[in-house]
Amino acid sequence: QIMFCTLNTHKVDMDKLLGAQIGLEDFIFAHVKGQRKEVEAIKTEDVLGLTITDNGTSCAFIKRIKEGSLMDQIKTVCVGDHIESINGKNVSQYRHYEVAKMLKDLEKGQMFKLELIEPMKAFEMLEPRSHGASLPEAKISRGRETLRLRTKGPATVEEMPSEAEEKAIKKVDELLETYMGIRDIELAATMVEAGRDKKNPDEFAMALDEALGDFAFPDEFVFDVWGAIGDAKQGRL
């Protein structure tokens, strides 16, 4: 029933999503499924204006709604909503990139229907602590160690990514949104790791194919990711 988790805030804040690394003192808030809702609309533009991510176990949800887009005009569609079905097809077990592709492939000018589940609003009753203490800030970019969470395999305590790697991860996450309409810090971190000891784009492409072949990344995207990793290593990001 968990849709996604946030770090150090009970709010539906997509800038505070639980990612690939967390600090050992972070607080994690789990947001569970709440009310269902249906939306019908005509696809009047080539893109709907949605950025999709998921929780690593095939629960795709809306991370961002582009201002002024078709979906931005439909006020019942909100950041944090889980996309359960598209035109009656259940996609609750699909990965974010599959859901993003289905939305992109909807025919322009046609009516479509989305079934959504919004996160439960149970945390809204929480109040700040009376003595004014605040939750600790995220430890993603400080300290010597971090807890690395993986979709497959156990969590491990690892050394923090270098400053260059953190910049590369952020840039790759942005490239994922540009090319594929998804956001996924864990995926971005995995891609940067794959390029850590590679000497050229061909070696990098082969490493991605071995680790992440299911994604079928376009060649242009892979080249741009390699460029972002190189720019980060050279201090150009």
Side-chain angles (χ1 to χ4, degrees):
Q1 292 296 309
I2 297 177
M3 297 171 62
F4 54 86
C5 296
T6 51
L7 288 179
N8 304 319
T9 178
H10 63 277
K11 298 179 180 179
V12 179
D13 186 341
M14 297 295 108
D15 292 325
K16 301 292 185 180
L17 285 177
L18 176 63
Q21 292 95 17
I22 64 172
L24 299 180
E25 298 179 6
D26 282 327
F27 283 81
I28 300 174
F29 289 85
H31 299 258
V32 299
K33 294 178 181 178
Q35 181 178 342
R36 281 178 164 79
K37 52 191 178 183
E38 292 185 1
V39 172
E40 289 189 351
I42 297 175
K43 188 177 182 182
T44 56
E45 304 291 338
D46 290 328
V47 295
L48 298 177
L50 297 179
T51 298
I52 311 299
T53 191
D54 68 29
N55 62 7
T57 57
S58 300
C59 178
F61 59 92
I62 299 170
K63 181 169 185 179
R64 183 176 299 166
I65 302 175
K66 184 178 180 181
E67 185 176 355
S69 66
L70 172 62
M71 289 291 99
D72 187 41
Q73 299 170 37
I74 304 174
K75 300 308 177 185
T76 52
V77 178
C78 302
V79 167
D81 286 352
H82 163 50
I83 301 175
E84 185 177 48
S85 76
I86 301 172
N87 285 335
K89 181 178 180 62
N90 191 307
V91 296
S92 58
Q93 296 301 311
Y94 285 40
R95 290 300 311 272
H96 49 7
Y97 61 94
E98 296 174 304
V99 173
K101 186 177 188 304
M102 289 181 66
L103 293 173
K104 184 178 180 180
D105 290 345
L106 290 172
E107 292 186 22
K108 186 176 179 180
Q110 298 297 310
M111 179 78 73
F112 65 93
K113 183 173 77 170
L114 302 179
E115 293 183 30
L116 309 168
I117 302 178
E118 63 183 33
M120 190 176 289
K121 302 297 194 299
F123 286 132
E124 289 183 349
M125 66 185 71
L126 292 180
E127 297 292 339
R129 297 177 184 178
S130 58
H131 53 75
S134 59
L135 295 175
E137 295 180 5
K139 301 297 189 299
I140 291 176
S141 59
R142 294 195 299 279
R144 296 293 302 167
E145 293 183 329
T146 183
L147 184 65
R148 176 69 191 275
L149 303 178
R150 302 177 186 274
T151 303
K152 298 179 180 179
T156 56
V157 177
E158 301 178 354
E159 288 292 312
M160 294 293 298
S162 68
E163 183 178 350
E165 287 176 330
E166 286 186 346
K167 289 181 178 179
I169 290 168
K170 181 179 178 182
K171 180 62 177 179
V172 173
D173 193 33
E174 292 171 356
L175 289 170
L176 282 168
E177 181 174 24
T178 300
Y179 279 90
M180 303 181 68
I182 64 175
R183 281 276 185 157
D184 190 326
I185 282 289
E186 180 190 350
L187 177 59
T190 300
M191 297 179 76
V192 171
E193 278 185 3
R196 184 175 289 161
D197 58 350
K198 301 302 178 289
K199 298 180 176 60
N200 56 61
D202 290 335
E203 287 186 7
F204 178 57
M206 289 179 63
L208 285 186
D209 235 19
E210 291 177 6
L212 302 165
D214 290 346
F215 285 84
F217 296 122
D219 291 342
E220 184 181 1
F221 169 74
V222 172
F223 186 79
D224 281 354
V225 170
W226 173 252
I229 294 172
D231 286 346
K233 289 178 179 178
Q234 298 300 318
R236 294 193 292 267
L237 287 182

